[in-house]
Amino acid sequence: MKQSYQEIAKKHCPKENVLINAIIAFISGGVMGIIAQFLIDGYVMWLDISTKEATVCMLVTLIFLSCLFTSLGFFDKWVNFCKCGLIIPITGFAHATMSAALEFRKEGLVTGIGMNMLKLSGAVIIFGVVSSFVFSLIRMVVGLL
Amino acid sequence: MTIKFKNVYINETATVTGPYESKGPFGKYFDLCYKDLYFGEKNWEQAEEKLINDAIDILIKKGQVDLKNIDVFIGGDLLNQIAPSNYAMSKFNNSFIGIYAACAMSTLGLILSASLIDGGFAQNVITFTSSHNTAAEKQYRYPVEYGGPKRKTTTFTSTGSACALVSSKNKGIKLESGTIGTVVDSGCNDVFNMGMAMAKAAGDTIYKHLKDIGRDIDYYDLVLTGDLGIYGKEILKDYMFNEYNIKLENYNDTGVMLYDLDKQPVYAGASGPACAPLVTYSYIFNEMKKVKYKKVLLAATGALMSPTMINHKLNIPSISHAVSLEVIS
């Protein structure tokens, strides 16, 4: 019996190494967490600020470094290797925004960077806002009970 | 539809590439290779325009023809409104036909050129195609510096421009016949698996060509497809055997040939309108001149992908046009 094209194509499509990718993402994501914790502790120690303020400084540092490394042209290789280990933390958001800004910078400040910078990361902002609204509603309802 | 041409020859060809292609196995066969992706221009779109202009300039020099004697240019590229081709052609005062068939443009250009020449409407036609890796990535995929992981079936758009001088003058390689393909829906909507989207179109066009012209696959010393990549190549072989009982033996895919797949990070291989002609006009024609291959069937394949239609959850239609190339006896 003749096989359908879909069956033939499926047979020759390679499987992605899901398990290895997950392990790499788990380890690199964990390392990111450790670095972030070191930063928080460091800021608390050196700058004599509260943990809450140090957390903000840590986020700013990671965002700055992701943007800098993206602009220097090697961060995409790290992201490609670490996958979700670098995409899920704030580094992924900064990387996506920065790469789009770099890509469109030649099309002008407003029409290029302004209109396209959030091409990839715009969705994160929109759904971040929507989900935080939903969760705060849930929290409010639970608080009233 | 298959057309048999009486007196059409590819007199001369020219190939210009970017840095990745020159590091591949056929680097020494290309006429000009650039070391970066800007070629001294301000942006990638203008860089692609320069690629086309360079290739045409080299071709005119190599073919020793006067621009006045070129009746018409036929060409296109991957970007919206085939902008690089239009801008490149604005520097010439020649008639121009802009075409689009994604990565199958090279063979469509050859078939159209040959039809004009054999019909007696033109004597010298230049057909060109080009693609630019980062310009195409920007338009079709993600920003270039974005490092989101890619799947194994992803292909790497080649950077380059290839053009051919087609005329009725008996010189170079004979363009013996051409088959214009149909748009095929292979049920694939995965933009990271173009090989799967295009393999069916290639198979159908090769079969149609053989049937229309009454030939066996053994007639050809070499069958080439455009840019199916490692996995698409296997799909095509399996599909041809299953569907049409044709065993593809002397077969290769230019997408697999253009880069060194072991050393270069190009995933499943090369793609782009320039991929098939870059390999054919350089290495294959060189081997044909040495008579290693006498008869070659080139079926360039194009995935007619539109990001908007993909967002509408529609499949990727694809097309393949084939030309039969022969050594002049």
Side-chain angles (χ1 to χ4, degrees):
Chain A
M1 204 188 106
K2 268 187 189 172
Q3 288 173 297
S4 76
Y5 181 75
Q6 304 291 329
E7 284 170 336
I8 295 170
K10 221 176 162 187
K11 214 165 62 187
H12 294 286
C13 284
K15 281 207 174 70
E16 300 294 324
N17 309 323
V18 180
L19 188 68
I20 296 173
N21 289 349
I23 292 171
I24 293 174
F26 180 76
I27 294 172
S28 54
V31 171
M32 272 307 299
I34 296 171
I35 294 171
Q37 191 59 49
F38 267 120
L39 280 173
I40 294 175
D41 292 349
Y43 284 135
V44 169
M45 209 161 62
W46 303 317
L47 303 178
D48 197 20
I49 49 176
S50 69
T51 313
K52 202 176 171 188
E53 283 166 334
T55 310
V56 177
C57 292
M58 176 275 290
L59 288 176
V60 172
T61 311
L62 288 187
I63 290 170
F64 172 74
L65 288 178
S66 310
C67 290
L68 181 71
F69 293 168
T70 304
S71 311
L72 292 176
F74 57 84
F75 201 62
D76 54 329
K77 292 183 186 79
W78 291 11
V79 172
N80 199 318
F81 176 77
C82 299
K83 301 177 177 75
C84 283
L86 279 181
I87 294 174
I88 302 291
I90 194 90
T91 46
F93 181 81
H95 174 59
T97 312
M98 193 64 205
S99 58
L102 284 172
E103 185 100 339
F104 290 96
R105 76 190 191 280
K106 293 207 168 121
E107 291 184 23
L109 261 181
V110 177
T111 48
I113 294 184
M115 287 169 74
N116 292 297
M117 192 167 162
L118 299 177
K119 213 176 176 190
L120 292 176
S121 47
V124 181
I125 296 177
I126 300 293
F127 292 107
V129 171
V130 171
S131 56
S132 53
F133 175 73
V134 171
F135 278 103
S136 56
L137 260 187
I138 294 170
R139 217 180 137 178
M140 196 181 80
V141 171
V142 172
L144 285 176
L145 291 173
Chain B
M1 177 185 176
T2 301
I3 314 165
K4 217 160 180 287
F5 304 116
K6 281 187 222 96
N7 253 328
V8 183
Y9 305 90
I10 301 176
N11 290 169
E12 196 56 77
T13 57
T15 46
V16 181
T17 74
Y20 299 106
E21 293 68 26
S22 61
K23 285 175 196 147
F26 305 132
K28 60 178 178 188
Y29 295 102
F30 301 131
D31 294 311
L32 178 65
C33 298
Y34 281 102
K35 286 195 177 113
D36 66 68
L37 285 169
Y38 281 103
F39 323 140
E41 295 294 325
K42 280 187 219 133
N43 50 54
W44 297 319
E45 289 77 12
Q46 281 176 288
E48 185 164 351
E49 181 193 330
K50 186 174 164 59
L51 270 182
I52 299 170
N53 279 135
D54 281 353
I56 293 172
D57 288 347
I58 293 172
L59 182 71
I60 285 170
K61 219 176 269 172
K62 268 173 87 180
Q64 293 170 335
V65 279
D66 201 329
L67 259 178
K68 276 184 281 179
N69 298 331
I70 307 294
D71 299 303
V72 63
F73 280 81
I74 300 175
D77 57 82
L78 267 187
L79 301 191
N80 286 338
Q81 295 90 33
I82 54 168
S85 301
N86 293 331
Y87 278 75
M89 287 316 298
S90 69
K91 297 187 185 81
F92 297 92
N93 201 13
N94 294 64
S95 305
F96 170 57
I97 303 172
I99 53 170
Y100 183 81
C103 315
M105 251 171 316
S106 55
T107 43
L108 178 64
L110 285 175
I111 294 170
L112 292 175
S113 312
S115 307
L116 284 174
I117 290 165
D118 232 23
F121 305 109
Q123 277 189 329
N124 296 303
V125 180
I126 287 182
T127 174
F128 65 87
T129 51
S130 78
S131 53
H132 191 288
N133 177 275
T134 42
E137 286 283 319
K138 180 180 168 187
Q139 184 182 311
Y140 289 96
R141 290 177 178 151
Y142 297 120
V144 175
E145 286 301 329
Y146 182 65
K150 286 178 179 165
R151 298 233 304 274
K152 286 178 186 167
T153 47
T154 313
T155 45
F156 184 89
T157 309
S158 51
T159 304
S161 175
C163 53
L165 173 64
V166 188
S167 87
S168 50
K169 202 167 111 189
N170 190 336
K171 185 189 159 200
I173 304 286
K174 187 175 191 315
L175 217 165
E176 191 262 342
S177 59
T179 301
I180 301 176
T182 51
V183 177
V184 174
D185 179 359
S186 56
C188 170
N189 62 359
D190 182 358
V191 290
F192 298 108
N193 196 354
M194 297 290 199
M196 177 187 169
M198 296 186 291
K200 191 170 192 288
D204 292 354
T205 299
I206 293 171
Y207 171 72
K208 224 170 283 161
H209 175 82
L210 296 173
K211 198 180 134 205
D212 284 353
I213 220 151
R215 277 176 196 160
D216 216 33
I217 192 79
D218 301 331
Y219 176 86
Y220 292 102
D221 302 322
L222 180 69
V223 177
L224 283 172
T225 49
D227 48 1
L228 301 181
I230 311 169
Y231 307 105
K233 189 180 161 185
E234 294 307 315
I235 296 174
L236 175 67
K237 277 196 212 165
D238 207 348
Y239 174 68
M240 285 298 273
F241 188 68
N242 249 288
E243 187 75 23
Y244 301 120
N245 206 14
I246 293 172
K247 231 176 168 179
L248 282 177
E249 273 164 352
N250 300 320
Y251 160 65
N252 212 338
D253 180 68
T254 55
V256 177
M257 297 161 82
L258 185 62
Y259 297 113
D260 189 339
L261 295 181
D262 297 326
K263 287 184 192 149
Q264 294 180 292
V266 293
Y267 304 90
S271 65
C275 173
L278 277 183
V279 175
T280 312
Y281 294 171
S282 58
Y283 171 72
I284 300 293
F285 276 15
N286 200 46
E287 295 299 295
M288 283 177 90
K289 279 170 194 160
K290 285 191 217 154
V291 203
K292 185 180 167 192
Y293 304 119
K294 278 186 184 163
K295 298 180 177 86
V296 174
L297 181 69
L298 170 67
T301 46
L304 307 167
M305 197 268 273
S306 149
T308 311
M309 297 310 239
I310 295 297
N311 289 345
H312 288 319
K313 306 268 181 295
L314 295 171
N315 291 339
I316 305 168
S318 53
I319 196 160
S320 171
H321 304 292
V323 288
S324 158
L325 305 163
E326 287 185 7
V327 173
I328 302 171
S329 50

